[in-house]
Amino acid sequence: WLEYQDKKGSIAKSPYRKNNNDNKWKTVTFTIDGNFKNDLNEMDFRINANNQPLTVSFVRVIRNIE
């Protein structure tokens, strides 16, 4: 899951995405409504793999302006 600081300042978690351990690349999209102020231990967000091995090849952040 993705952990981030929500607009109220609390640590929030995205829904959990299961890893099938099938050695295939996956694309996962998270939509969050959070603060990007480096307030999460000097990070905007962190990926939590639940103590399982995880290789991340690419991360893209897109800001939705409404």
Side-chain angles (χ1 to χ4, degrees), residues 1-4 6 8 10 12 20 26 29-30 34 38-40 42 44 51 54 56 61 64:
W1 58 80
L2 197 66
E3 296 175 330
Y4 59 96
D6 65 16
K8 297 176 185 175
S10 301
N20 298 335
K26 312 287 187 302
T29 301
F30 297 101
N38 292 327
D39 287 338
L40 188 63
E42 299 185 16
D44 289 326
N51 294 320
L54 177 69
V56 176
V61 177
N64 183 16

Side-chain angles (χ1 to χ4, degrees), residues 11-28:
I11 294 177
K13 295 180 183 178
S14 68
Y16 177 73
R17 308 288 195 208
K18 185 173 185 205
N19 184 0
N20 298 335
N21 293 321
D22 59 4
N23 293 321
K24 294 182 180 179
W25 289 105
K26 312 287 187 302
T27 298
V28 179

Side-chain angles (χ1 to χ4, degrees), residues 47-62:
I47 299 169
N48 186 327
N50 201 24
N51 294 320
Q52 300 296 314
L54 177 69
T55 301
V56 176
S57 174
F58 182 78
V59 174
R60 178 172 62 175
V61 177
I62 300 171

